[in-house]
Amino acid sequence: MAAVGQLAAGVAHELRNPLTAVKMLIETSREDLEARGMPSEDLVIIGQEVHRLERSLQSFLDFARPPKMERRRLDLATVIDAALALINGRARKQRVQVRFTPPEPPVWLEADAEHLRQLLINVAMNALDAMPQGGTLSVKVELLMLDRPCVEVHVQDTGPGIAEAILPRLFQPFVSGKETGLGLGLVVSRRIAEEHGGNLWAMNQLQGGACLILRLPTETRNPKSEIRNKLQTQNPNDPSLAGAS
């Protein structure tokens, strides 16, 4: 009940402030809207505030309802590219350089593309929040062999880093180092990682800035070899199968 109360208060606060800004801009411009139209600067602010509302509500909904996974075989780089494409506009406005080199050979996962993209967007948006005056957002992919094959996605920024007082509690509900925000984005993101059999954690880098690390199990089968073996089983004497690998 305490958590529900905190959540309700947080949602009310996050909805009230953007709505107040939108309401004031509309009331200020209402008298001459018909004569000259709303100033473009006001429209930009209204758009930003409405977008903030949307993000807050989406975080609330994602926290309130567990995700339903629809896993399919996918190329990790494709999901990362899709996530970065959605934040590139804001990155350009903030003069943030985005760096990502797809791994070779491709890394294949059994994952839900939509939820994985949402996780990466949440992490990338947090990195942009930490660099309002410019910087670099780097995404790196590393393969690991632990008790099973894994891949790590490192999302690094050149911001001020995560406050030491917040770092141990970063993935707890309602904990945030930003003036705005419900403190639910990273909670939902970690839950998505865990639903995929992985994890998500954060650290500050020695050279400055924060790094969030997503670890996921990789696909262990070799699809080309499987196709070749299947075809050879069906017709082992077919010479055209020689180039199937």
Side-chain angles (χ1 to χ4, degrees), residues 225-243:
S225 295
E226 286 188 356
I227 292 173
R228 182 174 182 273
N229 292 337
K230 182 178 180 180
L231 292 173
Q232 286 181 329
T233 301
Q234 293 173 348
N235 190 355
N237 297 320
D238 188 346
S240 65
L241 297 178

Side-chain angles (χ1 to χ4, degrees), residues 178-193:
K178 299 178 287 186
E179 293 182 1
T180 61
L182 291 175
L184 294 177
L186 289 180
V187 178
V188 173
S189 296
R190 172 173 276 184
R191 187 169 66 187
I192 292 172

Side-chain angles (χ1 to χ4, degrees), residues 8-238:
V11 170
H13 174 74
E14 283 303 305
L15 294 182
R16 182 184 57 203
N17 288 346
L19 284 176
T20 299
V22 171
K23 182 179 68 176
M24 290 179 62
L25 285 169
I26 291 176
E27 289 179 350
T28 301
S29 305
R30 184 175 54 189
E31 295 180 358
D32 58 349
L33 272 177
E34 293 183 0
R36 63 182 179 85
M38 183 173 289
S40 60
E41 294 83 2
D42 289 356
L43 288 172
V44 170
I45 295 174
I46 288 175
Q48 291 172 344
E49 296 299 288
V50 169
H51 180 63
R52 185 151 66 97
L53 279 172
E54 184 182 35
R55 286 182 62 191
S56 297
L57 284 173
Q58 189 60 52
S59 295
F60 169 73
L61 291 173
D62 291 338
F63 178 72
R65 61 188 183 199
K68 295 180 180 179
M69 298 292 170
E70 295 182 5
R71 299 191 186 188
R72 293 183 175 84
R73 183 173 179 271
L74 55 85
D75 179 359
L76 176 60
T78 301
V79 181
I80 296 174
D81 280 332
L84 295 179
L86 292 174
I87 61 96
N88 261 332
R90 180 181 170 190
R92 286 194 298 270
K93 290 180 181 179
Q94 294 181 202
R95 300 187 299 278
V96 172
Q97 184 178 3
V98 179
R99 296 177 178 173
F100 170 60
T101 301
E104 287 293 343
V107 177
W108 296 94
L109 307 175
E110 290 284 345
D112 185 302
E114 181 179 349
H115 286 95
L116 199 55
R117 182 172 62 247
Q118 177 191 350
L119 184 161
L120 293 167
I121 290 172
N122 286 345
V123 172
M125 292 293 281
N126 280 350
L128 291 179
D129 288 340
M131 300 182 289
Q133 304 302 320
T136 302
L137 170 61
S138 302
V139 181
K140 299 179 180 179
V141 175
E142 296 182 6
L143 288 171
L144 300 174
M145 181 59 72
L146 303 175
D147 56 336
R148 57 180 178 175
C150 296
V151 62
E152 285 187 354
V153 181
H154 295 229
V155 181
Q156 304 169 331
D157 65 61
T158 55
I162 304 166
E164 293 299 328
I166 293 177
L167 188 56
R169 303 181 294 119
L170 189 62
F171 293 92
Q172 296 178 11
F174 319 115
V175 174
S176 177
K178 299 178 287 186
E179 293 182 1
T180 61
L182 291 175
L184 294 177
L186 289 180
V187 178
V188 173
S189 296
R190 172 173 276 184
R191 187 169 66 187
I192 292 172
E194 291 173 346
E195 287 287 334
H196 283 85
N199 201 357
L200 177 68
W201 69 95
M203 59 182 290
N204 284 321
Q205 304 176 95
L206 292 177
Q207 68 271 27
C211 177
L212 272 84
I213 304 172
L214 168 65
R215 179 180 292 173
L216 295 170
T218 60
E219 185 181 75
T220 56
R221 56 196 176 104
N222 185 326
K224 288 187 176 180
S225 295
E226 286 188 356
I227 292 173
R228 182 174 182 273
N229 292 337
K230 182 178 180 180
L231 292 173
Q232 286 181 329
T233 301
Q234 293 173 348
N235 190 355
N237 297 320
D238 188 346

